[in-house]
Amino acid sequence: MTDISKFKDDFVLFLEAGFIAVNQADEDSAVKLFKAAQLLDDQSTLPKVGLGYLHLHKLELRQAVQLFEDVLKKEPNNEMASTFLGLCLTMSPNAVDRGEEILKEMKNSSDKLIKNLSHTALDFVDKFIKKDAGPAEVKQKKRTHKSK
């Protein structure tokens, strides 16, 4: 058995590299990096947040929501998990309002990045998820009703 204690200081590097791998769409590397980080610190929830982030990127919202909720059971004040959970929920048809509530709470975060992400996510919800039907969509609906 290899003594991994000499790598404990590399925990953050594995996490950072995992998030970078997600952003580069390198799922295999991301999973391996988050699992390595989990081996180095099995008490940290950050590798699980990273895996949730991976699922969010792949729009596997159920899996992402489950991971973020697991993190929040252990750490109810984890703002990163809360913000990502809110984002996932706003993209889930039956949970948009709950997601919006979470994101609105995160707008008050003292962490500038969390605050910016929640503002951006709420703008996205307003512009693309809750938007009114455009002229082409209204015209299409009228045609559908006439053909019935």
Side-chain angles (χ1 to χ4, degrees):
M1 181 68 104
T2 305
D3 179 22
I4 62 171
S5 64
K6 61 184 173 184
F7 299 106
K8 291 276 187 195
D9 292 340
D10 296 328
F11 173 77
V12 173
L13 297 175
F14 281 106
L15 279 176
E16 289 286 330
F19 280 96
I20 291 168
V22 170
N23 290 336
Q24 296 296 318
D26 186 352
E27 179 179 359
D28 185 52
S29 293
V31 169
K32 289 175 182 172
L33 288 160
F34 291 134
K35 286 185 177 184
Q38 190 71 56
L39 279 173
L40 293 176
D41 185 352
D42 62 353
Q43 298 303 307
S44 177
T45 58
L46 289 173
K48 193 173 267 195
V49 171
L51 290 170
Y53 183 67
L54 172 65
H55 286 293
L56 172 57
H57 265 251
K58 294 172 59 183
L59 295 177
E60 296 171 344
L61 300 178
R62 270 193 216 118
Q63 295 93 322
V65 165
Q66 184 62 55
L67 287 164
F68 297 136
E69 286 178 341
D70 289 349
V71 168
L72 291 167
K73 284 177 191 166
K74 187 174 178 182
E75 292 179 4
N77 296 323
N78 187 313
E79 292 183 336
M80 185 184 302
S82 291
T83 305
F84 287 147
L85 174 62
L87 185 56
C88 289
L89 293 174
T90 60
M91 291 188 279
S92 303
N94 298 324
V96 175
D97 292 338
R98 181 172 164 230
E100 263 190 307
E101 283 179 35
I102 293 169
L103 291 171
K104 285 177 184 175
E105 287 176 27
M106 292 298 103
K107 281 177 34 175
N108 299 321
S109 172
S110 60
D111 184 315
K112 187 176 180 180
L113 294 174
I114 295 292
K115 189 181 284 195
N116 288 342
L117 177 58
S118 63
H119 277 283
T120 303
L122 286 167
D123 286 346
F124 176 83
V125 170
D126 287 339
K127 289 178 184 170
F128 299 106
I129 294 176
K130 295 179 110 182
K131 74 174 190 145
D132 293 331
E137 294 166 298
V138 170
K139 191 173 185 178
Q140 181 65 33
K141 285 180 185 177
K142 285 182 182 177
R143 277 192 211 146
T144 306
H145 291 297
K146 286 180 183 177
S147 64
K148 287 184 180 179

